[in-house]
Structure formats: structure tokens, C-alpha cells
Amino acid sequence: MPIECKDVSFTYAPATAYEIHALKNINLRIEDHEFIGIIGHTGSGKSTLIQHFNALIQPTSGTILYNGEDIWGQNYNRRTLRSEVGLAFQYPEHQLFENDVLSDVCFGPMNQGLTREEAEPEARKALLQVGFKEKNFLKSPFELSGGQKKRAAIAGVLAMNPKILILDEPTAGLDPRGRDNILDQIAELQSVRGITIILVSHSMEDIAKYTRRLIVMNQGEVVYDDAPHEVFSHYEELEKMGLAAPQVTYLMNGLKKRGLPVDLKADTVAEASKSILKALREVDSPLLKEGGSHV
Amino acid sequence: MFKDITLGQYYPGDSVLHRLDPRTKLIGTLAFIISVFIFHTFPGYAVATVFLAAVIWLSRIPPRLIFKGLKAIMLLLIITVMFNIFLTPGEIVWSWRFLKVSREGLSLSGRMAIRLTYLVTGSSIMTLTTTPNQLTNAMESLLRPLNRINVPVHEIAMMMSIALRFIPILMEETDKIMKAQTARGADFESGGIIKKVRNMIPLLVPLFISAFRRANDLAMAMEARCYHGGGGRTQMKPLRYAMIDYAAFVILTVYLAIGAVFRIVGI
Amino acid sequence: MGIIKALGLVFDYLKYDEEGNVEDTQRAIDDVSLDIEEGDFIAILGHNGSGKSTLAKHMNALLLPTEGTMWVEGIDTSKEEKLWRIRQKAGMVFQNPDNQIIASVVEEDVGFGPENMGIPTEKIWKRVDDSLKAVGMLSYRNHSPNRLSGGQKQRVAIAGVMAMRPKCIVLDEPTAMLDPIGRREVLDAVHELNREAGVTVILITHYMEEAIEADKVFVMDNGKVVMQGSPREVFSQVETLKSYRLDVPQVTELAYELSQAGVKLPQGILTIEELEEALCR
């Protein structure tokens, strides 16, 4: 079920002193089973864009098609759309409200018309799939740690069985371990459920590790839409937008300039490590000879 | 984009009225309101109109902004006028079935309409030329004598100014929570009144919890910055009357004196 | 004795039942001793729930130790009559920028601390000017905080603390809610204050990159200080850090992986330049 944006523009407070052109002529197509990263600094329009995907915001001009249908068409059911295109916002505190986690996660499915009995299995499945421990199911959502709240909030959207799951900064405020856990879980979800994941993040490192397509937003426009390593090769332009490529990209470029034949496509620690080792062997580096016992 | 809503309706500017001490404006508004109740004849209202027009002109605020405040009370105005016209007994000038209009009714409703309109216009000018914070400061300063009878004037003023700071933040948060719940299929629009109220729970619970957390954080941040109530506190922007304030007080006194004279003479 | 010193510090969070009896205690800080030199830039690292924020709140007497002692500039924080002096000496900046800005105009917020301290009006203005200048926010003095970015708000909060002329500022995860640009702004401002004004900085964070330029790093886990030393000393122990649920900067991790694979590299590489240099020798 692809999403398509055709010439989508959005203006906040049009014709006033506070007018902001948040999106300018966006053209995009999101295919099934993709794992997409969206990056851009605050105010770049990325949050506005994702809220267009599930009809929380109506574009000022242009059309958005879901599965070929205009989602702002006359008889289009936008509530059904919202359960097919799930959006989990950045702050779990903005959605958790029930007495216990399980009931909270049932909220979405029950809004879809399921009874509590029918909703509960969906909720349980979703909670387990995001790595939420069963022993905490009946805890109050307000007693949870930051990471657990985040999981409960994502499960709250996942339980509605969306075909596309949009995650706005799922790792903000989490510590490194919590961050890696949750991203691993999301990556697994993508393959287990076969759904499309759109990950909005500030972290280039996370995007490089998990996604296969990266959309860079700046001043309401899509500036890059390509494989992450291709986007990172424009690291100088990214810096001008207040963004930065992963540290590894800078290192690889620096090494290449100094004559080490490394692969510039490497944008994760694992890839870089492999490529550097290979390059060091090619140039017969003294660094390997002295201590290279188990290579 | 709730943060774009300016609370109150302050219109930035640098007119004489903007530069007046907020206490002067508060007292002035009060004096004007009293005056429209003192005046009760046509020449009296003419004086009040001249005074109001002069103030509007001095404020340099587009008049349409000033009169916008009237729209909100239009319904109230119409109801008041209707009641007064039809329900005041006296010399009947017109009647149709059970509806009777008396001369007294007409004159009373006319006076009510003028008073209500002038009252709202006068206070609008004050809120348009004074920031909410300045108003809070003015109230704190004017009510300070109440401290002696143990009214916590400073604390009340502090609470008001914090509320002014947080209302836009909480409004924006309400918007975000609504979106988060809408994304989970919540429906805030359809259904009858009971269903609507019940549907508000997913919005209100997170909002209240967030407000309490913010209050807690804020109290800690204030304590960390040595806040310990009004005692021993100095002010960065203490209110000081300047020449224009004294001039304003002279004008106000003259204006009120005219009102008193009119009343006594019976014009 | 340094500007901040803790000896055998213990703190228990108490949980009460309905009758008000202590039902449960949870040890948030477990026998922590440390001594911080004046003028240093200190980073305290730890995962969420490691006790680092609880420790920070002791430095400003927002919390008082269950056992042991905390001194700020030689004053025991449990001495109630010195409370305001302690809070003025050790200023505190919190995580959420919105929840610590009190006034609706930037300059009035910065003046809030000095007002509470009873500083005369003219001197408040001087302090507000100086502090806003120090964090590069002078041109925003008449703005509403609601119209600022996260990084700008946090700099206003820092200016608000600086206007109290503290010897030391404690920042409790000041960047956790900011985007990368905001993080950079806040860190630059804090480093500048440390260098130019000689203010002792205690930065509590879980972003490892922010600790690289510190003079000294403490790592907390389970209420205890488990590692301490220069950033290089601490970050060279990649495996140990990982066991405390922490991360190392990407280059440090890469250098570690390479040396595990047999490449001869110096220990504790912290920056891209260092690794580049080491690999192309």
C-alpha cells in the first residue's frame, strides 16, 4: 500500500504575520516494506510531513494518495487510514492515560471497533513484539521507566495492526542501551510483520545502521532522497544545513584523502572496520605486522 | 501553532498610552468605568465620548482592533437592550399584543447600551496597551496594602504571572495530545454530550499529569534559584511614576470632576 | 578540599503506604565520595536510573543525604541556615527548558534569581546584561521564551543561573531534550563559561560525546561511582563501559574493534583526527 505525495505544500497561519511555509512542493513515493529514515533539524518540516501521511494535517495544496486514493477525497474514511498508517509520537506521556499498560494498548484496537476480549490478544502481541515484559502488563503506565513508556506507546499504535508504522524520534531521551534495544526490536518488527517503517531521527548513526533509504528535509523541502551512504557523501552540504554525517563517514573520507584505499560507502562501525582492515592489508601496513596476531 | 496566540491581546507599540505606568492605566480604566455610571445625560455621554475618542487616538491602535472586543459581547448587549426596552414600565409609546415599549424603557436601554459599550472599549484599550505581566505587576503594587491583613499579594501575583507563561505551553500540549490520540483512532468530534465528555478522558489524563509534572519541576527550579516568597525580594523593574503619569492623573481628576459637577447640577 | 566534596554519601528514596509509614526504601546513591576542584569541567555519566540526577540534586541542597555529608565550598549542605548561600554558590540547570523559565520575557527571567537574592535594581540590570552576553542571548532579551528554540531556551536558563554569580553550575542532562544543533549551542556556551569565567562545571549526561572535552569523568551505575579518570582513561575501557549500559563515541568503538582485530593502535582514541593520524602513520 504505497503512500504518494504530489506537490504537497503546507502553510501554517497563512496570510498572517506568523505565516510559515512548512512544506514546499513535496513529491514522494513510499513503497511497501521499506525501512525509511527521515532526518532534518527542528523546523525543517519533517514532523509536519509525517502528520500528512495519516491525515492529521490537511495539505494547503497538493494531493496525498494512499493506495492510489486521495485521502482528502469526499468519501474517504480517514479513521480507517489512521489505523493503516500508524504514527507513534515522540513523547509517550502524550498518549498514555489508562490505569494499566494493557488497557492503554487496547485503546487503539477498541477504537477500531473491537471488544475488549478481541483487543487484548492484539495488545499482548504488540507489547511482546516491542520487547515489553509480560510481568509489567498490569503496571500503571506512569510507574514505568522512560524506555518502557516508549515501548508501551509504540505498542499502542502497533496493536492497531498498521501496514505502515511511523516513529517520531523513538529513541529521544533514552540511554544508549535502551536506544539500541528499541531500534533492534523495530528492525525485527519490520521483517516479522512485513510492514513499512518510517523512522524520524536526529541520529545519523542510527539511520545509517538501520535504514536503506534516507530522506533529508531542509526548510520545508526534500533535499536528498537516496541510500544513506550516498546521502552521507554530501557531508559538506549536510553540515551547511546544520546536520552531520556519521563520524565514520568523516573518518573514511579523511583516510581516503591520505591515500588509504578504503570504501567510502562504509557508514557503520562494522562496515568501516572491515573496509579499513582490507585497505591496511592492501597497502601492507606496518600497523598489522607488529601486532597482527589473529587477523 | 498555539504558541502564536498572544495571550490577552497586547498590541506592541510606543504610544503615550503604552508608556504610561500600568498602575496609571489600571486606575484610569477604573475611573473611566465609574464615569460612565456617573454620567446619565446626553451632554455627559458626549464628554465621555470625547474622552474615549482622545484616548483611542493617543493609543495609535487601529480602531477595528479596539472594537473587535465588542463582537464578543454583542449577544449580551442585544439581550440587555431587549429586556430593558420591553420590561421597563412607564409611559407606553408603542405596543403590539403583549409587547409594550415605554419611554423610560427606551432611555434606560440606551444608557445601558452606551455604558456596556464604553466599559468594554475602555478595558480593551488597557489590555491592548499593557502586557499581562505589567498588569500583574500593577495589581501587585496597588494591592500591596492588603498584605497587612495577611492577603498573600505577592504570591497571588506570582501565580498569575506563571499561569500567563504556561497557558500557551499547555495549549500547545493539548494540541499534541489530541493528535497522538487521534492517531490511535480517538474521536473528539462526533457523538452526544455524554459520549463527548467520555471521549475527553484520553486527552485530559495526559494533560493533567503533564501539568502536575511541570508544576513540580518548576517549583524545584524556582527553589534552586533561591526563591523563598516575597520577603527580602528586590525588583528588576520596579514601577515608578513618571511625568506623563502625573499629567495623566491631572487629566483624570479634571475628567471625573466634570462628571461630578454634571451630576450635581443635574445636566 | 575542592569546591564540591562528598564523603560516604547515601540517599534512600522512601515510599510511604497509606498510613504514612515507610513501606519501602530504594537506595539511589550508595556510598559516593568525590572531590571536585574549582575551575574543573566535570562530566558525570550513567544510564537512566544510575543515580546521577539524584547526586546532582544534592549539590544544590534540593535533596539532603540520608547518610554521609556533602560540602559546597566547605559548607555542609545539611545546615539549613546556609541553604540560600549554597543554592547561590552552586547553580542548577535542569533537563526541560520549558519547566525552568519563570517569566514571559527573557530578561525578566534572567533577573529572577538576583531578585530573590535581594540585589539592588541597578545591579540586577548589570548582572542580566553580563549573563545574557556570556551565553550569546543578549539580542533576544525582549523575546518571549515561547518563541525560542530548545537550545536558546536552555541558554536562557543558564544565563538565569549565571546571574546569581555562582562558583559552580550543575547541569542535569541539559541536552537530553534538544536536537543536535541545540546540543552544540548549549555545550559551547557551557565550555565558554568554564574557560572565560572560570566557573566550575558539572555536566550530567548520557551522551558520551559531551564528555570528551571534560577534565574529569565519573561514571555512575547503581548509585555508585564505578569509574573515574580523564576521558581518555575512561573511554579506553570499551567493554567495561558497555557493561554499565553506556556507549563510547563511534570512532572510539571503531578504534577498539580495529585493535581487537590486531591493528596496532594507541589506547583511548577519542577523535576522528586521532584515529586518522594513527592509521596513516
Side-chain angles (χ1 to χ4, degrees):
Chain A
M1 300 272 194
I3 300 181
E4 255 182 293
C5 294
K6 286 186 176 168
D7 299 320
V8 169
S9 296
F10 183 75
T11 311
Y12 280 108
T16 67
Y18 305 120
E19 185 178 85
I20 297 166
H21 296 285
L23 293 179
K24 299 171 200 159
N25 263 325
I26 305 287
N27 283 292
L28 271 180
R29 194 182 156 88
I30 288 158
E31 301 292 348
D32 289 351
H33 316 303
E34 281 199 282
F35 198 144
I36 301 181
I38 299 184
I39 213 158
H41 61 77
T42 313
S44 61
K46 59 183 195 311
S47 302
T48 311
L49 178 66
I50 56 169
Q51 291 177 43
H52 276 81
F53 290 159
N54 71 343
L56 283 176
I57 298 182
Q58 184 170 13
T60 313
S61 66
T63 38
I64 298 164
L65 304 178
Y66 177 66
N67 203 25
E69 278 185 86
D70 182 356
I71 64 168
W72 288 98
Q74 282 249 309
N75 297 315
Y76 196 84
N77 188 341
R78 281 178 286 278
R79 281 189 76 184
T80 315
L81 170 80
R82 287 189 192 118
S83 54
E84 301 221 344
V85 184
L87 170 53
F89 281 95
Q90 182 177 357
Y91 297 107
E93 292 81 5
H94 285 164
Q95 69 174 69
L96 300 173
F97 75 100
E98 278 283 9
N99 291 328
D100 62 276
V101 175
L102 193 61
S103 306
D104 200 277
V105 177
C106 285
F107 179 69
M110 283 165 71
N111 281 330
Q112 290 174 306
L114 301 192
T115 62
R116 170 77 196 215
E117 289 66 41
E118 292 165 336
E120 225 177 273
E122 296 296 335
R124 285 178 176 277
K125 190 171 110 193
L127 278 164
L128 291 172
Q129 279 184 340
V130 295
F132 194 93
K133 302 244 162 48
E134 186 149 16
K135 64 170 195 252
N136 294 330
F137 276 11
L138 295 176
K139 264 196 183 170
S140 158
F142 311 107
E143 285 173 20
L144 304 176
S145 72
Q148 289 170 325
K149 276 186 193 165
K150 215 110 205 188
R151 284 169 209 273
I154 294 173
V157 175
L158 191 64
M160 297 169 77
N161 276 311
K163 304 220 163 50
I164 297 172
L165 180 62
I166 309 168
L167 299 147
D168 190 4
E169 302 267 353
T171 59
L174 298 187
D175 60 31
R177 173 82 66 91
R179 186 194 65 208
D180 289 351
N181 276 345
I182 226 161
L183 287 173
D184 285 341
Q185 224 99 42
I186 290 166
E188 207 181 300
L189 254 178
Q190 198 236 357
S191 53
V192 173
R193 289 211 177 196
I195 57 179
T196 304
I197 304 269
I198 302 176
L199 177 70
V200 177
S201 173
H202 280 309
S203 164
M204 288 290 188
E205 280 79 8
D206 291 348
I207 297 263
K209 196 166 162 192
Y210 292 98
T211 70
R212 288 181 286 275
R213 176 178 164 195
L214 171 56
I215 295 170
V216 180
M217 301 277 302
N218 190 41
Q219 296 183 347
E221 288 174 84
V222 171
V223 266
Y224 296 110
D225 180 358
D226 214 331
H229 64 85
E230 290 293 334
V231 175
F232 296 149
S233 67
H234 303 281
Y235 60 92
E236 281 159 338
E237 286 86 352
L238 288 173
E239 270 175 37
K240 282 184 201 131
M241 294 171 218
L243 300 170
Q247 281 195 325
V248 164
T249 305
Y250 290 90
L251 177 74
M252 298 309 255
N253 279 284
L255 291 175
K256 184 95 175 183
K257 272 190 201 127
R258 297 181 99 172
L260 204 61
V262 288
D263 181 5
L264 292 182
K265 278 186 190 162
D267 53 14
T268 63
V269 169
E271 288 166 14
S273 158
K274 222 160 91 190
S275 163
I276 291 172
L277 280 175
K278 188 164 159 266
L280 287 175
R281 258 180 243 125
E282 271 173 42
V283 297
D284 208 16
S285 167
L287 291 173
L288 285 174
K289 277 177 202 152
E290 283 171 48
S293 51
H294 51 275
V295 181
Chain B
M1 291 263 117
F2 277 110
K3 62 182 156 197
D4 287 334
I5 294 173
T6 38
L7 201 85
Q9 38 175 351
Y10 180 64
Y11 181 84
D14 194 32
S15 73
V16 183
L17 245 64
H18 283 88
R19 274 178 285 141
L20 278 180
D21 187 292
R23 287 171 299 180
T24 313
K25 284 186 265 189
L26 206 61
I27 295 169
T29 311
L30 216 63
F32 179 71
I33 291 172
I34 292 168
S35 81
V36 293
F37 285 96
I38 296 179
F39 291 129
H40 62 298
T41 56
F42 179 73
Y45 291 131
V47 175
T49 310
V50 170
F51 182 81
L52 191 61
V55 171
I56 292 176
W57 179 75
L58 279 175
S59 73
R60 309 265 177 238
I61 292 172
R64 74 180 158 81
L65 275 179
I66 296 172
F67 297 119
K68 226 169 76 181
L70 286 178
K71 259 191 220 156
I73 61 147
M74 204 42 98
L75 188 69
L76 181 71
L77 194 67
I78 292 170
I79 293 173
T80 319
V81 167
M82 287 299 175
F83 266 91
N84 279 305
I85 287 184
F86 294 118
L87 298 179
T88 314
E91 187 190 329
I92 308 292
V93 288
W94 179 84
S95 71
W96 176 73
R97 297 203 182 166
F98 61 93
L99 292 174
K100 296 183 183 65
V101 176
S102 69
R103 183 178 301 278
E104 285 77 3
L106 278 179
S107 104
L108 188 63
S109 65
R111 276 208 294 273
M112 286 308 278
I114 291 177
R115 280 176 185 165
L116 213 54
T117 313
Y118 281 24
L119 195 144
V120 171
T121 314
S123 354
S124 292
I125 296 171
M126 177 180 72
T127 51
L128 280 162
T129 57
T130 320
T131 64
N133 263 354
Q134 286 175 326
L135 271 183
T136 316
N137 285 347
M139 270 186 248
E140 181 182 357
S141 164
L142 290 173
L143 298 179
R144 200 164 290 152
L146 293 183
N147 252 337
R148 269 185 235 134
I149 53 164
N150 290 328
V151 179
V153 175
H154 165 79
E155 281 70 17
I156 293 171
M158 179 58 82
M159 271 166 12
M160 280 172 61
S161 64
I162 288 175
L164 288 172
R165 154 130 179 76
F166 277 89
I167 285 169
I169 294 177
L170 289 176
M171 280 174 50
E172 203 184 333
E173 191 145 42
T174 308
D175 183 49
K176 285 186 177 159
I177 295 170
M178 267 177 109
K179 277 184 173 165
Q181 302 297 32
T182 309
R184 291 208 287 165
D187 183 0
F188 296 107
E189 271 127 42
S190 60
I193 181 93
I194 294 169
K195 187 157 175 256
K196 256 186 186 160
V197 170
R198 211 179 29 223
N199 286 352
M200 289 311 246
I201 294 171
L203 168 64
L204 292 179
V205 173
L207 188 64
F208 275 107
I209 286 176
S210 155
F212 280 117
R213 206 193 55 234
R214 283 182 192 279
N216 207 17
D217 282 7
L218 192 72
M220 183 137 56
M222 287 170 75
E223 264 188 55
R225 281 162 78 185
C226 296
Y227 181 73
H228 49 281
R233 217 169 168 265
T234 46
Q235 281 185 303
M236 182 184 177
K237 297 178 174 174
L239 296 173
R240 281 196 194 106
Y241 289 120
M243 273 320 282
I244 49 167
D245 295 295
Y246 295 120
F249 279 122
V250 170
I251 295 169
L252 276 174
T253 315
V254 172
Y255 172 69
L256 278 180
I258 295 175
V261 168
F262 274 34
R263 189 89 206 195
I264 293 163
V265 179
I267 306 175
Chain C
M1 187 191 280
I3 184 154
I4 286 184
K5 188 179 155 118
L7 194 66
L9 202 69
V10 171
F11 184 77
D12 292 332
Y13 276 110
L14 303 181
K15 210 172 166 181
Y16 297 94
D17 63 11
E18 273 135 37
E19 276 105 51
N21 304 313
V22 177
E23 186 182 53
D24 194 13
T25 64
Q26 200 181 0
R27 189 145 291 193
I29 298 183
D30 190 2
D31 194 18
V32 166
S33 297
L34 45 80
D35 198 346
I36 291 167
E37 288 301 317
E38 192 164 349
D40 267 1
F41 193 115
I42 305 288
I44 301 183
L45 296 171
H47 64 82
N48 294 342
S50 60
K52 59 191 195 305
S53 287
T54 310
L55 181 64
K57 288 184 184 117
H58 277 82
M59 296 177 181
N60 186 276
L62 285 169
L63 293 176
L64 296 176
T66 310
E67 281 169 42
T69 318
M70 171 75 94
W71 292 272
V72 173
E73 246 211 341
I75 309 171
D76 180 344
T77 58
S78 62
K79 289 219 166 65
E80 210 173 311
E81 69 276 10
K82 298 280 177 66
L83 183 65
W84 305 113
R85 196 175 158 69
I86 291 162
R87 295 205 174 146
Q88 181 257 314
K89 290 281 170 208
M92 183 124 188
V93 176
F94 299 88
Q95 187 184 93
N96 188 330
D98 275 326
N99 296 357
Q100 56 186 318
I101 295 180
I102 291 113
S104 304
V105 178
V106 166
E107 62 176 16
E108 287 176 14
D109 187 73
V110 178
F112 180 74
E115 284 180 339
N116 293 332
M117 289 158 60
I119 307 290
T121 301
E122 309 75 61
K123 287 190 178 153
I124 297 181
W125 282 88
K126 167 100 176 74
R127 286 179 175 221
V128 169
D129 288 355
D130 290 349
S131 315
L132 280 173
K133 210 178 287 169
V135 297
M137 289 296 290
L138 197 59
S139 54
Y140 293 89
R141 63 183 312 156
N142 290 318
H143 283 230
S144 152
N146 290 342
R147 293 192 165 272
L148 302 180
S149 72
Q152 290 173 327
K153 280 186 217 172
Q154 210 54 306
R155 277 148 68 201
V156 170
I158 294 171
V161 167
M162 285 304 291
M164 296 165 66
R165 302 261 162 97
K167 285 275 178 72
C168 141
I169 53 177
V170 182
L171 302 107
D172 188 5
E173 299 201 46
T175 57
M177 299 181 74
L178 306 182
D179 69 3
I181 299 179
R183 257 155 65 187
R184 195 66 257 164
E185 280 173 23
V186 169
L187 271 189
D188 286 349
V190 173
H191 275 289
E192 170 111 5
L193 289 178
N194 177 247
R195 262 193 320 269
E196 303 300 322
V199 181
T200 310
V201 171
I202 297 160
L203 175 71
I204 292 162
T205 183
H206 59 234
Y207 288 112
M208 307 301 127
E209 297 82 2
E210 295 177 359
I212 290 174
E213 292 166 64
D215 295 311
K216 197 169 179 190
V217 176
F218 292 91
V219 178
M220 287 194 69
D221 183 59
N222 224 349
K224 291 191 172 73
V225 171
V226 285
M227 293 169 87
Q228 54 180 301
S230 69
R232 203 173 296 280
E233 286 162 6
V234 169
F235 286 133
S236 62
Q237 304 174 53
V238 176
E239 290 299 321
T240 322
L241 278 170
K242 286 196 168 169
S243 74
Y244 296 128
R245 304 189 49 179
L246 291 170
D247 226 355
V248 292
Q250 226 187 5
V251 259
T252 310
E253 189 178 353
L254 179 56
Y256 175 77
E257 297 256 315
L258 287 171
S259 60
Q260 288 294 98
V263 182
K264 209 166 178 310
L265 289 171
Q267 282 224 315
I269 284 181
L270 296 177
T271 65
I272 298 167
E273 292 74 33
E274 281 174 19
L275 183 55
E276 209 179 292
E277 199 59 42
L279 283 170
C280 296
R281 231 177 346 167

